[in-house]
């Protein structure tokens, strides 16, 4: 049985907030806390239509000192909202149309355990923003900013060099299964067709 996660809920509309709180209070693995107890919450769920200045202020106020971890649920998520959410320290991002009770509770548990949650199509868009930042701002200054983990970058660089799975495994002291899993994770997360497409995407976006 999963442990109970202390969770604070803020909605930019009182009726919306009441609905989310009501749904979460029905779940035995979530303990909803009031605003006065927000400092005791592990996770804060902020629900809004758009990520405007008011919602950004709420995110910053809730996350004093780096806790609780933030889940942001928005009706509309554009590229500007993606970047602003990342800058505000949001760990989980969901569309309201996708955030049914089961998905929201699962996301709360993932965030509480230290994971990040972003829908795959939104992650690809965010990494596109990162790639543009790399090319237009950081690279001219000799800086680097990667949207991939170190080992994902290592594997993709070796794939780009023409190495097969066995050669990559020997080079990095991984099992072949680990190499395949890394490539599968990258292609699935970024909605890419195969390893060649993954390498092309990473090069094009300035990630390797």
């Amino acid at each position: 049985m999963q442990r109970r996660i202390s969770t604070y809920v803020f909605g930019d509309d009182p009726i919306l907030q009441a609905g989310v709180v009501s749904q979460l209070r029905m779940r035995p693995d979530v303990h909803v806390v009031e605003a006065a107890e927000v400092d005791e919450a592990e996770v804060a769920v902020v629900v809004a239509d758009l990520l405007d200045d008011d919602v950004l202020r709420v995110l910053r106020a809730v996350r004093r000192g780096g806790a609780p971890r933030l889940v942001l649920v928005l009706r509309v998520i554009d590229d500007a909202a993606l970047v602003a959410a990342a800058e505000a320290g949001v760990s989980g991002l969901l569309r309201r149309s996708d955030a049914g009770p089961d998905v929201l509770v699962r996301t709360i548990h993932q965030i509480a355990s230290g994971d990040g949650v972003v829908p795959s199509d939104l992650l690809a868009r965010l990494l596109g923003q990162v790639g543009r930042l790399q090319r237009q701002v950081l690279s001219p200054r000799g800086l680097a900013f990667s949207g991939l983990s170190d080992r994902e970058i290592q594997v993709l660089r070796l794939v780009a060099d023409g190495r097969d799975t066995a050669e990559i495994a020997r080079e990095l002291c991984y099992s072949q299964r680990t190499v395949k899993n890394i490539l599968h994770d990258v292609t699935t997360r970024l909605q890419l067709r195969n390893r060649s497409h993954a390498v092309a995407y990473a090069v094009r976006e300035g990630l390797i």
Side-chain angles (χ1 to χ4, degrees):
M1 183 176 178
Q2 290 182 309
R3 66 185 182 88
R4 298 187 79 196
I5 306 298
S6 296
T7 304
Y8 169 68
V9 177
F10 173 87
D12 65 350
D13 175 272
I15 295 176
L16 179 62
Q17 177 171 329
V20 175
V21 168
S22 175
Q23 289 291 330
L24 292 180
R25 280 186 170 151
M26 297 171 60
R27 306 299 291 252
D29 50 348
V30 175
H31 171 59
V32 178
V33 302
E34 302 296 335
E37 305 170 289
V38 65
D39 290 339
E40 301 173 16
E42 292 182 64
V43 175
V45 177
V46 176
V47 187
D49 278 342
L50 305 169
L51 184 52
D52 56 19
D53 289 342
D54 289 338
V55 175
L56 280 171
R57 280 193 288 271
V58 170
L59 292 172
R60 296 188 188 105
V62 168
R63 199 170 184 265
R64 293 189 299 267
R69 292 172 62 81
L70 297 172
V71 176
L72 179 60
V73 184
L74 296 174
R75 182 177 59 83
V76 177
I77 304 176
D78 57 17
D79 289 349
L82 277 172
V83 174
E87 291 174 343
V90 169
S91 298
L93 186 61
L94 294 173
R95 294 185 181 90
R96 271 181 30 193
S97 58
D98 298 332
D102 290 341
V103 170
L104 184 54
V105 169
R106 183 166 63 249
T107 299
I108 287 170
H109 277 273
Q110 288 175 285
I111 297 306
S113 67
D115 293 336
V117 176
V118 180
S120 58
D121 64 307
L122 298 183
L123 181 60
R125 283 166 51 192
L126 179 59
L127 290 180
Q129 292 282 349
V130 170
R132 283 187 285 277
L133 176 63
Q134 171 72 44
R135 293 192 304 275
Q136 298 169 10
V137 179
L138 299 180
S139 290
R141 293 166 173 78
L143 303 174
F145 182 14
S146 172
L148 298 169
S149 71
D150 288 342
R151 71 177 192 169
E152 286 171 344
I153 291 171
Q154 289 178 316
V155 169
L156 287 177
R157 281 176 176 162
L158 291 172
V159 172
D161 288 339
R163 310 287 187 87
D164 63 24
T165 300
E167 291 171 330
I168 294 170
R170 285 195 298 272
E171 175 81 13
L172 300 178
C173 298
Y174 294 153
S175 69
Q176 291 190 47
R177 178 179 292 276
T178 296
V179 173
K180 290 177 181 177
N181 287 341
I182 291 170
L183 289 168
H184 179 266
D185 289 344
V186 171
T187 54
T188 300
R189 191 170 73 240
L190 301 182
Q191 296 185 315
L192 303 169
R193 292 186 297 275
N194 50 45
R195 62 176 62 191
S196 298
H197 193 192
V199 170
Y201 178 90
V203 171
R204 185 177 68 247
E205 298 299 336
L207 300 174
I208 63 172

